[in-house]
Structure formats: structure tokens, C-alpha cells
Amino acid sequence: MSDDKALKAREEELIENLNFFLRNYNRLIAIGYRQTVLDAEIRSLEDELKKMSRRI
Amino acid sequence: MEAKKRFLELKKAWIDAKGNSDLRAQIDSETDAFFNSLTDAQRDEVIEATDSEFSRIHVEITDINETLDVRDLLADILPIVSISHLSRIYFGKSASWFYQRMNGNIVHGKPAKFTPDEVKILSQALGELSEKFSRTSKRLAV
């Protein structure tokens, strides 16, 4: 039967991964990660995760 | 590669410490010390590791969306067909094998999903079943 538990767990893992990079945002910029690239990447992942989450 | 390895270890430790604010604070301090200790070459390693992780997350989202696509398409079919029969006849597998793929379960440490070939077989199987339903419907109508 259809069961969302596994997909929810995978979704949670991805969200926590993104949270880790958000937590380290300033540190990444400080070591030379380009801010515009980082902002775009984070925004893109947030959008994709939101769209995916709505389907689970 | 040591910096990349350590960075990923810190990430895993921080994620695993979810719900434990004291432990997360401790890992945060370790991460701070780690970033402050990086050489120029190690900084590049961490930036590359971050890019790789972003790519991995994109791939994983695509993977989950593909699983959801199949699951959504099957939503109307599932209550009216025997998954046990479908799995056994067309894939030579059990119903649990089928559900593992439909639900994107982690199997042997990896997310299970239908391969493109399996999706084709599934499509053909449903086409065959559809023909059987249609034939029976026509006979009943005579």
C-alpha cells in the first residue's frame, strides 16, 4: 500500500542538509564561496523542496 | 581530501544531533574552529564539497519527484488490481518489492525506485490488463 513514511524521512534528511548550509552561510562566504552563487543555490533548493513537500 | 571528509563528518554530526541543542552548539563550535583552521587549498575543498552536496540534494529531489510521479499515476489503479499478481507475473517479484519501489523505501542503504525498464514493463502490464478488462466488458455486453 501507499506509505509516505520513507519519503517523509528522505525529505527531512534533505531539509536538515539545507539547514546545515544555511547555518554555515557566513562561514562559507568567509572562505570564498561566492555569495550570489550561494544565494541562488539556496533559493533554488528551497523552491524545489517546497514543491516536493507539497506532493508528499 | 581530509578537509572535505571532516566537513562532511561535521555536517552528519550536526544533522544527527537534531533535537539536542547542547550537542548542536558543541558541533557548531567545532565547525567554527574547523573553518578558522582551513588553508587556502582546504577552503577550495570545502567549497567543492558544498557544491557536490548541493548537486546531490538536487538529484535526490528529482529522484523523489520521479517516485511521486509513478505513485500518483498508480493511485487510481492500486485499489482495483492485485499488486501481488502484477508483481509476480510481470516482474517475478513479491508485492513488497513493488511497494518498496512505489514508496521510495530505503533498501540496503539506497532509495528503491523503479528503473526506466521497470516503468516500461509496468506500462505494458497495465495495457495488457486494460485489454483484458475491455474484452470482458464487451463479452458481458453481448
Side-chain angles (χ1 to χ4, degrees):
Chain A
M1 60 195 286
S2 184
D3 179 358
D4 288 340
K5 277 184 200 162
L7 292 179
K8 282 272 180 203
R10 288 169 67 188
E11 174 201 17
E12 187 61 31
E13 193 263 344
L14 295 178
I15 290 170
E16 283 303 310
N17 266 273
L18 183 57
N19 284 340
F20 174 81
F21 291 106
L22 287 169
R23 180 79 186 162
N24 288 287
Y25 178 89
N26 289 326
R27 291 174 180 137
L28 287 166
I29 302 290
I31 64 164
Y33 204 111
R34 285 177 58 198
Q35 187 169 6
T36 50
V37 175
L38 188 56
D39 286 345
E41 195 62 82
I42 287 170
R43 214 169 21 247
S44 161
L45 287 172
E46 282 176 338
D47 286 347
E48 286 182 38
L49 280 168
K50 269 183 205 159
K51 281 180 196 162
M52 186 193 79
S53 296
R54 280 199 290 268
R55 300 183 65 196
I56 299 177
Chain B
M1 294 302 280
E2 280 304 306
K4 176 185 176 180
K5 189 180 166 201
R6 179 64 183 144
F7 180 59
L8 295 178
E9 281 172 358
L10 286 165
K11 179 170 78 69
K12 185 178 184 307
W14 189 86
I15 290 170
D16 290 347
K18 190 184 178 193
N20 185 337
S21 54
D22 288 346
L23 185 54
R24 277 208 164 172
Q26 185 191 317
I27 296 162
D28 228 19
S29 297
E30 288 176 32
T31 307
D32 214 24
F34 167 75
F35 269 83
N36 289 331
S37 71
L38 294 173
T39 63
D40 285 350
Q42 288 172 328
R43 288 177 171 204
D44 289 344
E45 257 186 61
V46 170
I47 288 170
E48 279 177 30
T50 300
D51 284 336
S52 295
E53 281 299 290
F54 286 154
S55 296
R56 184 187 70 80
I57 296 171
H58 281 297
V59 168
E60 175 72 355
I61 291 171
T62 302
D63 205 55
I64 291 175
N65 277 324
E66 285 173 1
T67 296
L68 287 166
D69 288 344
V70 173
R71 195 189 69 175
D72 290 350
L73 284 168
L74 292 175
D76 291 340
I77 302 292
L78 287 177
I80 55 173
V81 297
S82 163
I83 295 303
S84 174
H85 174 85
L86 191 73
S87 305
R88 194 176 66 249
I89 300 300
Y90 293 96
F91 296 100
K93 304 281 186 180
S94 65
S96 62
W97 174 90
F98 189 95
Y99 285 120
Q100 281 172 348
R101 272 135 197 88
M102 194 185 75
N103 292 322
N105 289 356
I106 302 295
V107 180
H108 304 305
K110 288 183 179 175
K113 62 180 279 195
F114 291 110
T115 64
D117 282 346
E118 287 165 350
V119 171
K120 273 185 202 165
I121 292 170
L122 183 57
S123 170
Q124 287 163 0
L126 293 176
E128 278 184 35
L129 290 175
S130 163
E131 283 171 24
K132 283 182 185 172
F133 275 107
S134 181
R135 277 201 303 274
T136 305
S137 167
K138 282 174 189 164
R139 282 180 190 164
L140 286 170
V142 173

